[in-house]
């Protein structure tokens, strides 16, 4: 349940904030979300990655189909990838990587800044 909640919140942040702020600010927002919610490392990685990756994939597919523009094909030929479809797939993969590592960074940052009791005997 925690995974799907984090996934939905990630998708909402990416879809509604990405048109107005740059991608790195969305990455900071995902890191802050992981700091606030403390989902755990695996949930942060997969939830943030799938949320941002699927959002970028869906948005790029929607824009490509809606406009019918030859721009993806032209950009794909400039980059040397085979077609615009591969370029859209690469966009989704980059979204997955950006989202997963930014959310994981937020989760790990919360973990290292957590105060631990110092009056416990640990053996030795």
């Amino acid at each position: 349940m925690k995974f799907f909640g984090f996934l939905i919140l990630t998708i909402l942040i990416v879809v509604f904030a990405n048109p107005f702020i740059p991608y790195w600010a969305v990455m900071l927002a995902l890191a802050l979300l992981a700091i606030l919610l403390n989902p755990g490392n695996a949930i942060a990685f997969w939830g943030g990655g799938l949320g941002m990756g699927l959002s970028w994939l869906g948005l790029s597919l929607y824009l490509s189909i809606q406009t019918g523009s030859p721009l993806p094909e032209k950009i794909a030929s400039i980059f040397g990838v085979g077609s615009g479809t591969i370029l859209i797939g690469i966009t989704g993969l980059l979204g997955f990587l950006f989202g997963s590592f930014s959310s994981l960074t937020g989760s790990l940052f919360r973990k290292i800044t957590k105060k631990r009791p110092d009056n416990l005997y640990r053996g030795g």
Side-chain angles (χ1 to χ4, degrees):
M1 187 68 183
K2 202 174 201 182
F3 171 75
F4 290 113
F6 191 76
L7 178 69
I8 296 297
L9 285 174
T10 301
I11 290 172
L12 289 175
I13 287 173
V14 172
V15 167
F16 290 115
N18 217 14
F20 304 108
I21 58 177
Y23 75 95
W24 54 266
V26 174
M27 290 173 63
L28 288 175
L30 293 182
L32 287 174
L33 180 70
I35 289 171
L36 293 175
L37 295 182
N38 192 20
N41 294 341
I43 293 173
F45 182 84
W46 290 106
L50 287 175
M52 193 163 180
L54 291 175
S55 297
W56 278 20
L57 182 71
L59 287 171
S60 60
L61 272 173
Y62 172 75
L63 289 174
S64 177
I65 292 170
Q66 187 70 20
T67 61
S69 172
L71 186 63
E73 299 295 330
K74 291 181 180 181
I75 297 295
S77 67
I78 289 172
F79 284 154
V81 274
S83 67
T85 308
I86 294 173
L87 185 67
I88 291 172
I90 291 171
T91 302
L93 178 67
L94 284 174
F96 175 81
L97 292 173
F98 289 160
S100 60
F101 287 124
S102 60
S103 296
L104 181 63
T105 300
S107 178
L108 292 173
F109 181 77
R110 179 183 173 105
K111 192 174 284 189
I112 65 169
T113 57
K114 183 178 170 184
K115 180 154 175 59
R116 296 183 188 137
D118 57 352
N119 58 353
L120 295 176
Y121 175 71
R122 300 189 188 204

